[in-house]
Amino acid sequence: EIVLTQSPGTLSLSPGERATLSCRASQSVSSSYLAWYQQKPGQAPRLLIYGASSRATGIPDRFSGSGSGTDFTLTISRLEPEDFAVYYCQQYGSSLSITFGQGTRLEIK
Amino acid sequence: EVQLVESGGVVVQPGGFLRLSCAASGFTFDDYAMHWVRQAPGKGLEWVSLISWDGGSTYYADSVKGRFTISRDNSKNSLYLQMNSLRAEDTALYYCAKEAGDHYYYYYMDVWGKGTTVTVSS
């Protein structure tokens, strides 16, 4: 099973700043099968990025994804107040193993 | 509007059983595979199970294999999760989620329900 490790665990930033969230896989992941989700308190997760770098429908262009192999990044170019939430990466590997990272909490500084 | 509404979550004793349901609307249900994903209190997300658009193929996380069964009734636009031999560690909010691909697996979820809570406790 591929393990996804997200860092940092908590990121404290101010609105307007740039956020860089990391997701590292224990084995190489096909970029086609790497996604990012946002979850706000009391809400279901929302798909942000799929295929490592494609934005889901309705996602603002301040959100971008990049990376390949074992290292992937979610970048939020200029933080808006509504962006403070928990972010999860997720991958699909062989033998139908679908795993999530443990999450990065993005909090207001 | 695409919508998924889960139901069936209750408090159940260890060793007990439960069936969760998910009602889908706003899209052609039998065109898409469906997932169950759970979240233990204060914890992260854990994928549980996946079923193909026609119900012919099912997949499970190792943690639930042999105890949980995913199924669907396309005539009712409904997804189910039969949960047997429940353990304390199965306590979680259970989400129903739509697979992104139309008759194809991309293995990510583009629509989620609000979840239903299962508590396993004596």
Side-chain angles (χ1 to χ4, degrees):
Chain A
E1 176 180 287
I2 296 177
V3 176
L4 298 179
T5 302
Q6 293 186 239
S7 60
T10 301
L11 184 58
S12 299
L13 294 170
S14 301
E17 290 192 295
R18 180 184 185 90
T20 302
L21 287 66
S22 173
C23 176
R24 179 161 291 178
S26 59
Q27 303 172 43
S28 184
V29 173
S30 167
S31 296
S32 298
Y33 298 132
L34 194 289
W36 290 90
Y37 301 85
Q38 176 193 65
Q39 187 177 34
K40 296 180 181 179
Q43 295 186 19
R46 176 174 71 146
L47 177 68
L48 295 177
I49 300 288
Y50 62 92
S53 60
S54 298
R55 275 187 301 277
T57 302
I59 301 303
D61 60 7
R62 64 180 181 273
F63 290 90
S64 63
S66 63
S68 64
T70 59
D71 289 296
F72 297 89
T73 300
L74 175 69
T75 301
I76 310 171
S77 58
R78 284 180 56 87
L79 285 165
E80 298 287 342
E82 62 268 27
D83 297 338
F84 292 91
V86 179
Y87 292 84
Y88 295 95
C89 56
Q90 174 245 315
Q91 68 82 36
Y92 162 73
S94 60
S95 305
L96 211 128
S97 164
I98 296 174
T99 56
F100 291 87
Q102 84 279 15
T104 289
R105 181 178 305 277
L106 178 56
E107 64 177 27
I108 299 178
K109 188 173 183 181
Chain B
E1 179 194 4
V2 176
Q3 196 171 14
L4 299 170
V5 179
E6 303 92 337
S7 61
V10 292
V11 178
V12 61
Q13 292 191 337
F17 61 91
L18 194 58
R19 188 174 88 151
L20 305 182
S21 299
C22 171
S25 60
F27 65 101
T28 305
F29 184 66
D30 56 9
D31 281 350
Y32 295 90
M34 296 293 293
H35 299 262
W36 285 100
V37 177
R38 69 184 180 183
Q39 187 168 34
K43 303 297 184 182
L45 301 169
E46 179 187 16
W47 174 78
V48 173
S49 187
L50 167 65
I51 188 167
S52 61
W53 42 90
D54 62 357
S57 298
T58 58
Y59 309 92
Y60 300 93
D62 288 344
S63 58
V64 306
K65 201 173 293 182
R67 300 187 300 121
F68 290 10
T69 302
I70 190 171
S71 63
R72 64 191 296 161
D73 184 338
N74 287 344
S75 69
K76 296 181 178 179
N77 286 355
S78 292
L79 174 71
Y80 306 101
L81 186 67
Q82 178 68 42
M83 309 166 66
N84 297 334
S85 302
L86 283 161
R87 306 166 179 167
E89 54 265 36
D90 296 319
T91 294
L93 181 62
Y94 284 74
Y95 293 105
C96 158
K98 175 183 162 289
E99 163 62 37
D102 177 349
H103 290 98
Y104 188 81
Y105 295 118
Y106 288 109
Y107 302 106
Y108 56 86
M109 306 93 183
D110 64 350
V111 180
W112 296 64
K114 290 180 167 42
T116 187
T117 298
V118 173
T119 302
V120 183
S121 175
S122 54

